[in-house]
Structure formats: C-alpha cells, structure tokens
Amino acid sequence: MILLGMLMAFCMAEAKVTLPALFTDNMVLQQKSNVIFHGHSSTKKEVIIKTGWNKHPYTTSPDKEGNWKIEVPTPSAGGPYEIIISDGDEHILQNILIGEIWLYTGECETETPIDIPSQPYIRLFQTKKEISLVPKKDLHATQEGWKECTSESITGLPAIGYFFASQLQKNLKVPIGIISCTWKDTPAEAWASYDALENLPSYNKETEMLESLGFNPEKIEAEYARQREEWYQALYEHDMGWCDDHQVWAEPDYSDENWKTMELPGYWEDKGMKDFDGVVWFRKTIDIPRNWARKNVTINLGNIADESIVYYNGTEIGRNTKADASRYYTIPYKLVKRGKAVLTIRVTNYKSKGGIYGRPEDMKLSVKGKDPISLAGEWKYLSGLSLSGIPPVPISPESNPKYPTGLFNAMIHPLTSFPLQGVIWYQGKSNLESSDEYADLFMSLIADWRDKWQKPQMPFYFVQLPNHEKKEEAQDDSDWAAMREAQAQALHLNHTGMVITTDIGKEKSNTFQSTLETGLRLSQLALKQTYGKRKMPQYPVYKSYSIEGNTLRIHFENLGKGFLHPDPVRGFIIAGTDRIFYPATVTVKKKEIIVQSPDVPHPVAVRYNWANHTDGTLFGASGLPVAPFRTDNW
C-alpha cells in the first residue's frame, strides 16, 4: 500500500501540461492578436497561464478528457518573454518573441544556403511532411519546434522563405516568424480543404467519395484499392499484347517479324518514341548453351521505368511495380533447355522517361561458374497500349501527397487556430496539365484559407511560374504560359499580390541570385500592401489595347515614369484573324507600346512573354518586369 502511494505521488509529480507542436521555446506570436493556447492536462486541475508581458493570469478548467484552451491577447512587437503554464506543475516556455508571422507553403524549391549569419530575431518552424484523410488537430515539427535562425537550424528551409523573412526583419525592425510548410511536386488540390473543393466540378468524384464513405480512412483506402485494381484490369483489356487474359506477345512461337528494333539499354524517348507513356513489349531470341540446360539461370535486366513483367518462353518469371528498381530474377532449372529461347519484357511507363536503361554490362543471363550471355544490343519491340487519353491511375488517398485534401488536413488545418499575418505561396508546376481549372481552384483555396483563419483580408502573395526549357521565338500553345495566366487570375481577389520571375534565374548558375531576388520581391509586396511602405516598387500591369490600322496600341498601369527597355524590345507576338502568331516589331512611346508585323497586315491579338521560356525585355521605371499577358482567349 505504501509502495502504491509512493508510485502515485511520483506520477503526479511527473505530470505536466502537454502542448501542441507549435507551442515551444523560441516561438514567435503574432502581435496584437488573440492566441488560443490549448493542450492537455493529466491532472485535470485548473490551468493558469502567466505571460511575461503582463501580470494578468488567464485561467480555465480542462474538460473530462483533460483538454483545455485559453485565449491570450498579445501586445505590440517585443520580447524575449517567458510564458508560464501551470496545472499545479509549471511548464515554462522561454525566449518568446512577439512580432509578425508568415506561412510559407506550396511546392518545395531551392533550400537556403547553409552559410548565413545568426539572426535571433528571425525564428523558424518547419512542419513535418504528413498526409491525412481527415483534418488533424496537431502537426509535427522537423526540428522539435521553433528555432532561432542559424546556419544549423535553417537546413531544409526554402531559400525564398528565408530571404523574404530577412528583408522583412531588416525593414520592419520587429521579430519575424516563418512557418515552412512545403512538399515537393504537389498540386494545389492537395493543399485545399474539402470545403474548398466540394463546389468545384473537377473534384466532384473525390469529394463525393469522401463524403459517401463518411471520411473513414479504412473505407476510403479499400475503395482506392478497388479502383486501382479496376484500372489495371482495364489496361490489360486494352493492351494488344493480351488476348482473353493471355499474354499472346510473350509466346515463343509468336511471330515478331514485323516488329521494330531498338538498341538496349536506353530510354525509349531517346530511341524514337518521343513523349510516349504506356505499354511497350520487348522480345529477344537467345541461344541457351548445352551446359546451361537444367540449371537455374539468373537474369539481370538493369533498371526499368516504371513497371515490368518478364517472361521466359511464355512463362512469367517475375514482375516489379517499383519504378526504376533493378530487376533480378531466376529462370527455374525445369524451364531451361538447350537451343533457342525467347525472352519477353512487358514495360509500363506512366510519366517521364520509360524503358530498360542503365549500363550495358548489367543486362545479362548467367549461370554459376559459366560465362554470362549479354542481353545488351538489339531487341524487337512494339507498343501494346498508349496512355494518351486514358484517365491517370488512381492515387492512394492515404499515402500519396497528391491526393486532394491530404496535405491540408495534415499540415495546414492544425495551423488555422494559430494567428498569422499572411501567406506566401510557391506552387503551380504540378498543376500544368489542369491549367484550365487552376484559376477557380486557386481562388477557392485562398478564400477558404481566409475563412479557416477567420481573417477575410489575410494577405496572400504568390510567385508566378519561372522560365522552363529552351527559348522559342513564338509559342502560342505554351502550358507554362497558360498556367501563369491562371495564377494571375487570383489577383482579382483583394489583398493578393504576384511576383513575376520570368526575367531572373534564366541560367542554372544563377540559382542563388534568383531565389534572393524572388524573396526580395515578395518582401516588397508585403512591405507595400500589408505594411504601407509607399516607396516600394510596383509591377507594370497591362490595362487595355486598341487597333489602329496595321498596329496595336497597348496601355498599362503602375508605370510611374514610363518604361525601361533596350532597343529592340523582345517578347511580343501578334496575330490576325487566322490566329497565327508572328514576332512583332515594338515602338515605345512614353506610357504605351505600339506593335506591328509585316506578316500581320490586320492584327487583332497580341501576346507578351507567352512561352515556356520567355525572352521579354520590357520593364517599368521601377525596374520590375511587365507581367506576361495576352489580349485574346484562343
């Protein structure tokens, strides 16, 4: 009995208030806001919070489960302070600053250089990458919470986020907190909530499924497994290499006389099958030596992108669904006979480059103690199925970061009760194939996030897509240009701003300079629009155009004293009613641009910087570039 009493006393002494991951030493709280402190108390006693900026105690009682929350107002910027949270046992948060908090989120890009000066008035919080099918109450940090900005703590933080914070702190002279919440190559719908998606037709399938299954993770994953199996089955049904559930093209007596040939290893995009995604069958006839008969034969195929099924004389000997994995298989001794044998490989590629690639010496057949047989060289091949026009393979809601709502639920929702000043958004590349729907999706996401934070005018600044691939003189079907236009539609929402980056970072060696400049431009937006710094530069904005004979006159806003430009000005293309675009000759007159072309006697449309990789040279007097635009909707 005495021992039990001592044990209980020990447990009581060890009991402490537990807090969400965001509430740690070194944190920054948004100035002049109401912060909801919340957590759990194992003692279930009254919880008291005392802050270093006033003497007033804030108290509350936990519920039956021990959960509690207290709303605490914050003062103007300052610190450092201590915050004492007690339920009979004190939990002290130290080195707390009051200042400005910004959320940096979206697709991950260049990480911050390690060699930076220590900046104690910039604090960093990096969220762990997680996925959830339902909104979570808490998240996890990668570095055990808030950290002062040093070369060690900044590892993993996107460089643009750091440069943005650094410029804000330099100009505002107040503490700056950056919450970094990113995931490489993720689409906007993954960062959107169910509420943001439910009224968008493009996502009806996903939202209706989530709702019909009651947002139950087990039921959702089971439905995903069913859909994926159904999709794979459809692939086999449409693959010409199959007939009645049988791999006809793998049979040894099947005639491949009319098949094409390809040298392997190598990606098939580099061998004449440009931009092909789908199923390709490869066949090779080999001679099995007499002394290999009735022996296990090892087959090494190197690397294959993405999935493969391997047959020996029509019998399946192995398959692999892991993209780019090395393929090693054993041909059982019972199947190995001397003479001719046919090796067949069915390769399925879903995106990027496909095929059997790697080193020639890695493609071989071998038997222990015998000289190997090389498989590198000429193979017969034929396409069984193109994925063009076929819906993409269903993605796992539970484990794939691209699934709608998954990242919002796990990484954004836990932040929505934490006051912040605004959002910096760097995303768009992963939605290139759905630029037509992106404008509505992006604006819905912004409006919904503002609702979730209960801050209707929350600043939301974003980065337009940079240049991509090589320069082209005229490119009227650019996916990147269409996405830039879709991104810009969000400027119709108040308290938004867009940074243009098509003029910077055109060379890979300029990565540091481009991220520095992007961070600077983001900070200029915030300083002007959020903090009222009037002297910050503005982007020239296309306003209207008029047609006069064989010329188009283009008018702009936010020009200040006019344009900065070289002679000649590049980047403009014009078209007539035939909708064929030609490079334009440009004349600059004060605050308007006049364009014309001898190939277009009656112009009706003009575009500027409308290409994957733009080459425009038009800047406003502020030194900032003119944003890409077009006057047509073709």
Side-chain angles (χ1 to χ4, degrees):
M1 193 71 180
I2 295 175
L3 180 60
L4 178 60
M6 291 175 63
L7 181 60
M8 290 179 63
F10 176 79
C11 291
M12 290 295 288
E14 287 296 305
K16 285 190 176 182
V17 169
T18 56
L19 298 170
L22 271 168
F23 293 88
T24 71
D25 294 342
N26 308 309
M27 73 175 171
V28 180
L29 297 177
Q30 179 62 37
Q31 64 175 326
K32 300 179 182 179
S33 67
N34 293 314
V35 178
I36 299 176
F37 284 79
H38 57 104
H40 184 269
S41 171
S42 58
T43 68
K44 299 184 181 179
K45 293 181 179 179
E46 184 179 61
V47 177
I48 303 172
I49 294 182
K50 296 179 181 179
T51 69
W53 56 84
N54 64 28
K55 303 294 184 181
H56 180 74
Y58 301 89
T59 64
T60 191
S61 297
D63 61 20
K64 294 180 180 180
E65 286 75 37
N67 300 315
W68 57 269
K69 63 180 180 179
I70 304 176
E71 187 173 290
V72 177
T74 60
S76 298
Y81 300 108
E82 281 188 351
I83 300 175
I84 301 173
I85 305 171
S86 174
D87 62 350
D89 195 2
E90 289 187 348
H91 184 110
I92 302 176
L93 299 178
Q94 299 178 325
N95 196 25
I96 307 303
L97 297 179
I98 309 296
E100 294 291 288
I101 300 179
W102 287 81
L103 171 63
Y104 183 95
T105 188
E107 296 183 80
C108 188
E109 33 74 56
T110 309
E111 293 184 1
T112 304
I114 293 176
D115 187 17
I116 63 166
S118 295
Q119 301 182 67
Y121 287 95
I122 297 178
R123 304 291 173 83
L124 315 170
F125 183 94
Q126 298 187 51
T127 60
K128 185 179 179 181
K129 293 174 173 57
E130 296 181 285
I131 304 167
S132 177
L133 296 176
V134 294
K136 296 180 66 175
K137 293 182 179 180
D138 197 9
L139 42 67
H140 296 91
T142 60
Q143 298 188 45
E144 299 180 350
W146 289 88
K147 298 291 182 182
E148 291 187 1
C149 183
T150 65
S151 295
E152 292 74 29
S153 67
I154 206 168
T155 302
L157 177 73
I160 291 172
Y162 164 72
F163 291 129
F164 168 79
S166 181
Q167 288 296 320
L168 281 195
Q169 206 285 316
K170 178 181 177 181
N171 283 272
L172 298 177
K173 308 297 188 208
V174 301
I176 302 295
I178 289 288
I179 300 174
S180 176
C181 187
T182 63
W183 198 318
K184 185 179 180 180
D185 299 332
T186 51
E189 60 267 25
W191 297 100
S193 74
Y194 172 84
D195 295 329
L197 298 179
E198 66 172 334
N199 294 319
L200 297 177
S202 299
Y203 303 97
N204 284 348
K205 180 181 177 181
E206 289 84 359
T207 55
E208 289 174 1
M209 185 192 77
L210 291 171
E211 184 176 14
S212 66
L213 298 176
F215 301 93
N216 182 294
E218 292 182 359
K219 292 182 179 179
I220 293 170
E221 191 61 24
E223 173 61 17
Y224 153 74
R226 185 196 66 79
Q227 291 179 4
R228 188 175 177 89
E229 181 59 32
E230 187 177 89
W231 188 87
Y232 272 111
Q233 188 58 40
L235 280 194
Y236 288 114
E237 291 175 359
H238 293 90
D239 184 352
M240 292 187 295
W242 289 80
C243 183
D244 297 328
D245 295 326
H246 184 66
Q247 64 279 11
V248 178
W249 287 2
E251 291 303 317
D253 56 355
Y254 178 82
S255 174
D256 55 21
E257 182 180 356
N258 295 322
W259 286 28
K260 299 177 181 179
T261 60
M262 182 182 296
E263 291 287 323
L264 296 179
Y267 291 111
W268 60 53
E269 282 84 356
D270 300 332
K271 305 282 187 178
M273 300 183 70
K274 185 178 180 181
D275 298 327
F276 181 83
D277 293 325
V279 176
V280 177
W281 293 73
F282 294 92
R283 285 171 59 98
K284 188 177 186 69
T285 301
I286 51 181
D287 282 314
I288 300 297
R290 179 194 301 271
N291 58 1
W292 283 29
R294 304 292 291 178
K295 289 182 173 63
N296 288 331
V297 176
T298 300
I299 177 172
N300 185 347
L301 296 172
N303 299 90
I304 298 180
D306 297 315
E307 300 178 354
S308 63
I309 306 176
V310 182
Y311 303 91
Y312 180 80
N313 282 340
T315 300
E316 181 179 331
I317 61 169
R319 62 174 64 198
N320 197 314
T321 59
K322 188 175 182 181
D324 301 320
S326 297
R327 268 55 170 192
Y328 297 88
Y329 303 107
T330 298
I331 304 173
Y333 71 92
K334 293 181 180 179
L335 301 178
V336 182
K337 301 177 182 178
R338 60 171 295 194
K340 301 291 185 183
V342 176
L343 191 62
T344 308
I345 310 169
R346 180 184 186 265
V347 179
T348 307
N349 176 247
Y350 300 107
K351 63 178 181 178
S352 301
K353 290 188 174 183
I356 303 169
Y357 66 99
R359 302 182 305 172
E361 57 266 31
D362 288 339
M363 294 187 66
K364 59 187 177 183
L365 293 176
S366 57
V367 170
K368 187 175 181 180
K370 310 295 182 182
D371 292 335
I373 298 174
S374 175
L375 296 177
E378 186 177 280
W379 286 67
K380 294 290 190 70
Y381 79 95
L382 191 64
S383 166
L385 169 70
S386 170
L387 293 181
S388 177
I390 294 177
V393 58
I395 60 177
S396 170
E398 195 171 49
S399 60
N400 194 308
K402 296 185 178 183
Y403 194 81
T405 77
L407 302 188
F408 174 87
N409 291 334
M411 301 171 67
I412 298 297
H413 184 267
L415 297 171
T416 56
S417 63
F418 194 74
L420 48 81
Q421 180 58 263
V423 175
I424 299 299
W425 175 263
Y426 192 100
Q427 194 278 335
K429 185 178 69 173
S430 292
N431 285 91
L432 281 170
E433 295 181 359
S434 57
S435 60
D436 290 344
E437 296 88 22
Y438 189 84
D440 289 343
L441 168 61
F442 190 27
M443 288 192 283
S444 180
L445 180 148
I446 294 171
D448 180 69
W449 282 24
R450 288 171 168 174
D451 287 345
K452 295 291 190 292
W453 263 278
Q454 298 182 32
K455 191 174 181 179
Q457 297 183 346
M458 182 170 68
F460 203 107
Y461 304 133
F462 55 96
V463 180
Q464 198 176 45
L465 284 184
N467 279 320
H468 177 67
E469 296 181 339
K470 62 181 181 180
K471 299 175 186 177
E472 294 192 34
E473 189 172 32
Q475 188 177 8
D476 57 3
D477 60 346
S478 166
D479 291 339
W480 285 68
M483 176 53 73
R484 294 187 191 110
E485 181 181 62
Q487 290 175 305
Q489 295 302 306
L491 294 175
H492 292 295
L493 297 174
N494 64 0
H495 301 285
T496 59
M498 182 177 73
V499 165
I500 301 158
T501 59
T502 49
D503 64 309
I504 57 178
K506 293 186 177 183
E507 305 298 332
K508 290 184 178 179
S509 59
N510 289 337
T511 299
F512 174 83
Q513 188 61 37
S514 65
T515 54
L516 172 61
E517 182 65 24
T518 303
L520 173 63
R521 291 180 182 182
L522 281 166
S523 70
Q524 290 171 340
L525 273 178
L527 289 167
K528 184 175 184 63
Q529 296 186 202
T530 302
Y531 300 108
K533 303 291 184 181
R534 296 182 179 179
K535 294 184 179 181
M536 291 296 114
Q538 296 186 82
Y539 288 93
V541 177
Y542 161 73
K543 181 181 180 182
S544 62
Y545 76 102
S546 58
I547 302 172
E548 295 184 10
N550 66 341
T551 68
L552 281 168
R553 290 180 175 265
I554 311 166
H555 314 285
F556 296 85
E557 295 178 320
N558 297 341
L559 268 182
K561 296 181 180 180
F563 291 104
L564 297 176
H565 62 89
D567 190 14
V569 174
R570 299 191 304 272
F572 285 91
I573 56 177
I574 61 174
T577 54
D578 60 1
R579 301 187 177 186
I580 300 175
F581 283 89
Y582 297 90
T585 300
V586 180
T587 303
V588 180
K589 287 193 174 181
K590 294 184 179 180
K591 296 187 178 183
E592 70 176 8
I593 299 294
I594 302 171
V595 295
Q596 59 185 327
S597 170
D599 297 309
V600 187
H602 302 291
V604 297
V606 59
R607 295 178 176 182
Y608 175 69
N609 269 358
W610 194 267
N612 290 353
H613 189 129
T614 66
D615 196 26
T617 56
L618 194 62
F619 291 77
S622 64
L624 293 177
V626 172
F629 69 89
R630 62 174 174 170
T631 63
D632 63 274
N633 60 358
W634 300 336

